[in-house]
Amino acid sequence: MNETIHGMPPTLHDVAREAGVSLATASRSLNGSTRKVNETYRARVLEAAERLGYVANLSAQSIAKGTSSTLALIVSDIADPYFSSIASGVVRDAEQLGLVSTIGITQRDAKRELDIVRTLRGQRPRVVIVAGSRFVDAELDEQLTRELEAIRNLGGRVVMVSQRSLPFDTVQIDNHGGARDLALALVERGYRSFAALTGVSSLMTARDRLAGFRAGLAEHGLELAEERVFESDFTRDGGYDAGGRMLERGIDDIDCVFAVNDVMAVGAMSRLREEGVDVPGRLAIAGFDDIATARDVTPALTTVRLPLEQVGAAAIELATAETDGHAIVTISGEVVVRESTPQRG
Amino acid sequence: MNETIHGMPPTLHDVAREAGVSLATASRSLNGSTRKVNETYRARVLEAAERLGYVANLSAQSIAKGTSSTLALIVSDIADPYFSSIASGVVRDAEQLGLVSTIGITQRDAKRELDIVRTLRGQRPRVVIVAGSRFVDAELDEQLTRELEAIRNLGGRVVMVSQRSLPFDTVQIDNHGGARDLALALVERGYRSFAALTGVSSLMTARDRLAGFRAGLAEHGLELAEERVFESDFTRDGGYDAGGRMLERGIDDIDCVFAVNDVMAVGAMSRLREEGVDVPGRLAIAGFDDIATARDVTPALTTVRLPLEQVGAAAIELATAETDGHAIVTISGEVVVRESTPQRG
DNA sequence: CTGTTAGCGCTTTCAA
DNA sequence: TTGAAAGCGCTAACAG
């Protein structure tokens, strides 16, 4: 591992010279797929490469081959456990495949997402996984679709992680079904008057979950009045805030609150605790996602478990599979009842 | 935004032809730094690029310029809030600088970390930020240093986020000092007999925090016997597990437990709760990091706040500053006392 | 200020 | 099998 003392990295050229073979032979020995190289030469090349500490320049490879070894992952917020779990699965599997993972963060801003995808084209990524939430905005969807199609035209695979909405392979998360099941489970446990804390209505995920929850309630002839739906950011602080607004309005006619995701639920629980509201004694609460923290808050949070790391794996699988570009893999959640929603008299 | 209908992406060549100028002029208009292009031409080029939906091929740029626009971030585990917070800060600032962030996950495996850094060389990254924990292993440190030096020799900036141990610019986190302060604060609040839950001793972070904690106790003539130190994984489940072992041993002679990071503390709290131990009534607990969840568990967790996103920002700053390659920025933590360690009789 | 032309490091025909 | 040589898309001298 004798690095070139000089500033310049050893190139394939150096390796070839060192090994006394041609550039082509060196290339074939080091990276060529179908081995058609004399073992003696091959060994000499490998040895020379080792000695020089040679590592192929990926950029050069990309441009020579016309295809990169990059996987681009787009998430809303990497500090959010929902996305970091997915990212964890994606990056791990990508490494397995020899793909370098790049990451883009949209901060839940549709415009930004578009910008990111646009610059992504410059990377000529082999795979793009868009895990950020979809927005309810036909215009932006249209543009995003065009950008993603452009990437696909360049040979990149595009996989969406979200509800099915854009014409690409997608790992669909059954938000509606999960929320519906949760509603059924809660009614089953004796709850009757609900409130909801939700993200801004332009987020499809928030919408779908709320709609699913309502559908579940409807099956029991219950409904969730608009005035009991508190909209805020799709974050812990958003939940904290929405919880506060709910308290201001008054909770006399509420026995259970559904937060459309766990981080909001957790934020709301903290707010309720601060305001002296007994959870679950006075008010039960449930979330969605089953992030790690759900087990660790007190009371432990009832939620809908989503196999998040598996979602990442599924996305990669889809990206490497032969599909017509419109394949859908649905991941369903499973209701996990914990102490935050005890059986109710 | 008329994409080329064909499979091939528009190249700079296409843009130049379309605009009726030379390749060089097109390049200068689009990316050249010092503007020396007639406004008319420039406009024509921009317009043509827009029309064709041209986006420069980053790989080609990298190789032509001899320098990439990649920032490589290495973390132990992106699903861990400690690292995802840092990553969040890093990626955000990197985007500002027009750098593409790639991410590598070591899974707290020193060998793996070395592999990752090695393959990183292929990217010829402009910046490498190593945020994974350091290990107590001179041999591996030696090798890692060599690899990182190789990257630096190629013009890449290397920044470590951790204790100061390798000869690179580093954002040093004052683990020792923070833990010491925490110990002092706990003694101040009346605690006298401590136990500790810690990560494997080969992790420098775990070591330093434990040492700092002991140093703080020592200032009051207290000590932490080895038999009250429970070693496990540096994760939530590790804390859960270590907490269990502590209970098995018996906690009659313990009034406060220090977990070397918040996720372990949170795991331990869950275990204690499950086993019916009243926290903080019977046993107080404190952590380190101040992850978001620390506020949301019950009781809220006393900890040492580390400005994590700021750590990421500091790393980028160091990477873009003029340094001798041995600069150190120290980030100190601040004790945050919450309900998990009430004042004691 | 603009265009021509040589590379950047690597892969891949195409002959030998 | 191996090597020579022609690119891949872009930038950066170097002349005009």
Side-chain angles (χ1 to χ4, degrees):
Chain A
M1 249 250 336
N2 237 318
E3 316 303 341
T4 339
I5 315 299
H6 222 59
M8 293 287 81
T11 76
L12 186 57
H13 201 100
D14 300 327
V15 175
R17 189 160 32 65
E18 183 83 7
V21 301
S22 77
L23 212 60
T25 300
S27 170
R28 291 194 270 253
S29 307
L30 257 15
N31 322 301
S33 42
T34 39
R35 44 155 67 207
K36 345 170 127 191
V37 176
N38 180 315
E39 260 314 321
T40 319
Y41 281 176
R42 178 191 211 71
R44 248 168 44 203
V45 171
L46 261 43
E47 196 268 336
E50 179 64 23
R51 185 142 31 86
L52 296 175
Y54 170 79
V55 175
N57 184 321
L58 282 184
S59 293
Q61 287 195 153
S62 296
I63 149 172
K65 299 216 249 232
T67 163
S68 81
S69 54
T70 297
L71 174 148
L73 172 64
I74 298 181
V75 296
S76 297
D77 174 8
I78 192 65
D80 179 323
Y82 175 86
F83 292 107
S84 63
S85 295
I86 291 178
S88 184
V90 167
V91 174
R92 178 168 1 91
D93 287 19
E95 270 171 17
Q96 296 278 65
L97 297 174
L99 296 177
V100 172
S101 299
T102 75
I103 189 159
I105 299 183
T106 70
Q107 289 164 166
R108 295 198 174 76
D109 177 340
K111 282 289 273 175
R112 219 174 138 44
E113 180 176 59
L114 196 57
D115 279 355
I116 290 177
V117 174
R118 187 121 225 268
T119 51
L120 233 48
R121 294 238 311 271
Q123 297 179 35
R124 304 289 188 272
R126 203 146 82 201
V127 175
V128 175
I129 296 180
V130 184
S133 344
R134 299 295 74 235
F135 303 90
V136 185
D137 184 327
E139 164 72 18
L140 283 169
D141 265 9
E142 174 70 26
Q143 292 184 48
L144 182 64
T145 300
R146 269 215 296 275
E147 287 296 342
L148 290 172
E149 270 167 350
I151 288 177
R152 182 159 61 187
N153 285 338
L154 307 188
R157 294 292 303 254
V158 175
V159 176
M160 310 290 301
V161 173
S162 62
Q163 355 358 271
R164 167 99 180 94
S165 61
L166 265 38
F168 300 98
D169 289 328
T170 116
V171 176
Q172 175 175 61
I173 292 172
D174 185 13
N175 289 311
H176 189 97
R180 171 183 164 277
D181 291 349
L182 177 63
L184 295 181
L186 293 173
V187 171
E188 187 83 17
R189 289 179 89 71
Y191 296 98
R192 290 293 176 273
S193 354
F194 298 87
L197 311 183
T198 184
V200 289
S201 61
S202 59
L203 286 177
M204 289 269 268
T205 305
R207 274 198 174 209
D208 290 353
R209 290 180 179 178
L210 194 54
F213 194 78
R214 281 193 159 119
L217 294 185
E219 291 179 33
H220 285 279
L222 297 171
E223 62 176 34
L224 178 57
E226 208 49 65
E227 49 147 12
R228 293 188 192 177
V229 175
F230 302 88
E231 196 172 307
S232 189
D233 285 346
F234 210 48
T235 62
R236 185 267 181 199
D237 289 346
Y240 183 90
D241 164 66
R245 279 189 281 125
M246 176 177 68
L247 290 179
E248 277 170 25
R249 173 207 174 265
I251 55 170
D252 289 348
D253 53 351
I254 301 175
D255 57 19
C256 180
V257 47
F258 166 54
V260 296
N261 69 186
D262 286 352
V263 292
M264 288 191 80
V266 165
M269 283 175 74
S270 279
R271 182 58 171 269
L272 293 172
R273 184 177 64 208
E274 282 175 22
E275 307 280 353
V277 177
D278 176 23
V279 176
R282 171 62 196 85
L283 198 60
I285 184 165
F288 201 115
D289 285 342
D290 197 24
I291 60 175
T293 302
R295 294 169 303 173
D296 294 322
V297 289
T298 311
L301 187 65
T302 289
T303 186
V304 177
R305 168 174 305 153
L306 248 30
L308 260 11
E309 305 223 349
Q310 198 175 310
V311 166
I316 295 246
E317 207 166 314
L318 216 40
T320 52
E322 303 265 328
T323 74
D324 59 355
H326 295 257
I328 301 188
V329 170
T330 299
I331 302 265
S332 293
E334 180 192 356
V335 175
V336 182
V337 179
R338 299 205 178 92
E339 292 80 55
S340 70
T341 59
Q343 183 71 44
R344 185 145 182 280
Chain B
M1 251 252 329
N2 240 320
E3 314 305 339
T4 339
I5 315 297
H6 223 59
M8 292 289 82
T11 78
L12 187 57
H13 202 99
D14 299 328
V15 175
R17 190 161 30 68
E18 183 82 7
V21 301
S22 76
L23 211 60
T25 300
S27 171
R28 290 194 271 252
S29 309
L30 257 15
N31 322 303
S33 42
T34 38
R35 43 156 67 208
K36 340 169 129 194
V37 176
N38 180 316
E39 259 314 322
T40 320
Y41 281 175
R42 177 190 211 72
R44 265 196 358 230
V45 171
L46 261 43
E47 196 267 336
E50 177 66 23
R51 187 142 30 84
L52 296 175
Y54 171 78
V55 175
N57 183 321
L58 282 184
S59 293
Q61 285 192 155
S62 296
I63 151 175
K65 297 215 249 228
T67 162
S68 81
S69 54
T70 296
L71 174 148
L73 172 65
I74 298 183
V75 297
S76 296
D77 172 8
I78 192 65
D80 181 322
Y82 175 84
F83 292 107
S84 64
S85 294
I86 292 179
S88 185
V90 167
V91 174
R92 177 169 358 92
D93 287 17
E95 272 173 15
Q96 296 278 65
L97 297 174
L99 296 178
V100 173
S101 300
T102 74
I103 188 160
I105 300 181
T106 70
Q107 289 163 165
R108 295 198 174 77
D109 177 342
K111 280 289 272 175
R112 216 172 140 43
E113 180 175 60
L114 196 57
D115 279 355
I116 290 178
V117 173
R118 188 120 223 268
T119 52
L120 232 47
R121 293 237 314 268
Q123 296 179 35
R124 302 293 188 274
R126 196 139 95 195
V127 176
V128 175
I129 296 179
V130 183
S133 345
R134 298 293 77 234
F135 304 89
V136 185
D137 184 329
E139 164 74 17
L140 283 168
D141 265 9
E142 175 69 28
Q143 293 184 48
L144 183 65
T145 300
R146 269 215 297 275
E147 287 295 341
L148 290 172
E149 270 167 351
I151 288 177
R152 183 160 59 187
N153 285 339
L154 308 187
R157 295 291 302 254
V158 175
V159 177
M160 310 290 301
V161 174
S162 60
Q163 6 344 281
R164 166 103 182 91
S165 61
L166 266 38
F168 300 99
D169 289 328
T170 115
V171 176
Q172 174 175 63
I173 293 172
D174 184 13
N175 289 311
H176 189 99
R180 170 182 166 278
D181 291 349
L182 177 63
L184 295 181
L186 292 173
V187 172
E188 188 84 16
R189 291 179 87 72
Y191 296 99
R192 291 293 176 273
S193 357
F194 298 87
L197 311 184
T198 184
V200 288
S201 61
S202 59
L203 285 177
M204 288 270 267
T205 305
R207 273 196 174 209
D208 290 352
R209 291 179 180 179
L210 195 54
F213 194 78
R214 281 192 160 120
L217 294 185
E219 291 180 32
H220 285 279
L222 297 172
E223 61 176 35
L224 178 57
E226 208 48 64
E227 48 146 11
R228 295 188 190 175
V229 175
F230 302 87
E231 196 172 306
S232 189
D233 285 345
F234 211 46
T235 62
R236 184 266 181 200
D237 289 347
Y240 183 91
D241 164 65
R245 278 188 283 125
M246 175 177 69
L247 290 180
E248 275 170 25
R249 173 208 176 264
I251 55 172
D252 289 349
D253 54 350
I254 301 175
D255 58 19
C256 180
V257 48
F258 166 53
V260 295
N261 69 184
D262 286 353
V263 293
M264 288 192 79
V266 165
M269 284 175 74
S270 278
R271 181 56 170 270
L272 292 173
R273 184 177 63 209
E274 281 175 23
E275 308 279 354
V277 177
D278 175 22
V279 176
R282 170 65 196 83
L283 199 61
I285 184 165
F288 202 115
D289 285 342
D290 197 24
I291 60 175
T293 303
R295 296 170 301 173
D296 295 321
V297 288
T298 310
L301 186 65
T302 288
T303 185
V304 177
R305 168 174 305 152
L306 248 30
L308 262 10
E309 307 223 348
Q310 198 176 310
V311 167
I316 295 245
E317 206 166 316
L318 216 40
T320 54
E322 302 266 330
T323 74
D324 60 353
H326 295 258
I328 300 190
V329 170
T330 299
I331 303 266
S332 293
E334 182 191 354
V335 174
V336 182
V337 178
R338 299 207 179 90
E339 291 81 55
S340 68
T341 58
Q343 182 71 44
R344 187 147 181 278

